[in-house]
Amino acid sequence: MTSAGSSQGSGPDLPDPAGMRASDAERERIAEVLREAVAEGRLDMEEFEEWLGAAYAARTHGQLEPLVRDLPVPGSAVPAPPSPGDHTGWRERIGGPPTSKWAVAIMGGFQRKGTWTVPRAFTAFALMGGGEIDLREARFEDRDVVIRCFALMSGVQIIVPPDLETHVGGIGLMGGFDHTGSADGDPAGPRVTVTGLALFGGVGVERKLRKEEHKRLKEERRQVKAERREQLRAERRELRDERRERRDERRLSLEKDRRRDDY
């Protein structure tokens, strides 16, 4: 027998999001919100130190969420649980040992691109140089990733696919830290937090299509152009045929007129 408040056809209870374990990336994201709040005068230093300690000591989403409940948070400070749907293959690209955890460019440059595996926390440092971090074909050690960029008289460019959730929260001093790269993405995919410092330099986040998608769109455009060229050829052939028919009709009409005159 079942109790009055239960139903035989009901499915399993969904887990409480507040009780889900918090990751290092989520704690770092909350810490970044607190740093921005104290910089804007929304928190005093005593509150900031107390809440920052609580953020790093938090074990669950329910312990993190109250810390930023009355603060402006771009997007969602505590991410939702993973979505069961995955229509773009993200799930296959999450997991595995990281390729590298840091990159350094001193009066030079560095690149991380292709099918490399991004660690949970990646640090990039550039001094009088430059770097490129391309995530379009990358794998991810975990679903939450933090990329810390320190650009001193340098530039660091981060390239992400259009469907990757990205949150940018770094600081630019006499330089630029492009926050316009923040955007939601596929719920089944990873979440990337970009933070750090740009001093007399710049850190930018750019969204570009993956190579295979770019090739597919290029092929589609080529096919559209080919179809359009064939359509134009058909229209020109039709126009020539119409002109030829009109010429033939005029010629026949003139011949009839000449015969009539001869008689």
Side-chain angles (χ1 to χ4, degrees):
M1 295 179 61
T2 58
S3 61
S6 64
S7 61
Q8 293 180 350
S10 61
D13 293 335
L14 295 175
D16 182 8
M20 293 188 66
R21 288 277 183 169
S23 68
D24 289 340
E26 290 161 358
R27 283 186 280 268
E28 183 62 31
R29 190 174 304 169
I30 295 296
E32 189 62 36
V33 172
L34 296 175
R35 293 187 189 99
E36 292 183 0
V38 72
E40 295 170 353
R42 301 179 189 272
L43 294 176
D44 58 34
M45 286 303 300
E46 184 177 353
E47 291 174 322
F48 170 70
E49 292 174 359
E50 179 183 353
W51 292 7
L52 186 64
Y56 283 121
R59 295 295 182 185
T60 66
H61 287 181
Q63 294 172 331
L64 283 175
E65 194 276 336
L67 299 177
V68 293
R69 183 176 294 161
D70 58 348
L71 295 176
V73 180
S76 174
V78 180
S83 168
D86 182 9
H87 306 291
T88 57
W90 276 118
R91 188 171 298 155
E92 299 176 356
R93 295 171 58 183
I94 299 176
T99 301
S100 62
K101 295 186 177 182
W102 52 271
V104 176
I106 300 177
M107 300 183 69
F110 69 81
Q111 278 189 334
R112 294 293 185 274
K113 61 191 303 184
T115 56
W116 68 297
T117 301
V118 187
R120 294 184 182 90
F122 182 82
T123 301
F125 178 83
L127 174 63
M128 299 179 67
E132 179 183 271
I133 303 172
D134 193 337
L135 305 181
R136 289 176 294 174
E137 309 295 333
R139 295 182 56 87
F140 297 83
E141 181 184 15
D142 198 357
R143 194 163 182 268
D144 291 284
V145 168
V146 176
I147 298 178
R148 303 182 181 93
C149 297
F150 300 94
L152 310 181
M153 295 182 287
S154 305
V156 176
Q157 187 73 6
I158 302 172
I159 303 173
V160 301
D163 58 343
L164 181 64
E165 182 177 343
T166 311
H167 302 273
V168 184
I171 299 173
L173 299 177
M174 305 295 287
F177 213 108
D178 185 9
H179 287 217
T180 61
S182 296
D184 294 331
D186 190 334
R191 290 179 289 260
V192 176
T193 299
V194 180
T195 184
L197 173 68
L199 179 63
F200 293 101
V203 176
V205 178
E206 183 179 6
R207 293 183 176 271
K208 289 184 177 181
L209 292 173
R210 296 182 180 90
K211 292 181 180 179
E212 62 270 17
E213 293 176 352
H214 179 72
K215 290 179 181 178
R216 178 178 58 81
L217 291 176
K218 186 177 180 180
E219 179 63 21
E220 288 179 357
R221 288 194 294 267
R222 189 193 66 78
Q223 291 178 358
V224 169
K225 289 180 180 178
E227 292 173 358
R228 180 57 180 163
R229 285 196 298 268
E230 184 59 33
Q231 182 181 0
L232 290 174
R233 292 193 189 102
E235 291 175 354
R236 286 196 291 267
R237 285 194 298 268
E238 184 178 355
L239 182 60
R240 285 197 299 268
D241 292 341
E242 290 177 356
R243 290 174 178 172
R244 186 179 301 112
E245 289 177 1
R246 287 198 294 267
R247 286 197 301 268
D248 293 342
E249 290 174 357
R250 286 197 297 269
R251 185 170 61 252
L252 290 173
S253 177
L254 290 173
E255 289 178 356
K256 289 179 180 179
D257 291 342
R258 283 198 300 271
R259 292 195 190 99
R260 191 181 301 115
D261 292 340
D262 290 342
Y263 288 113

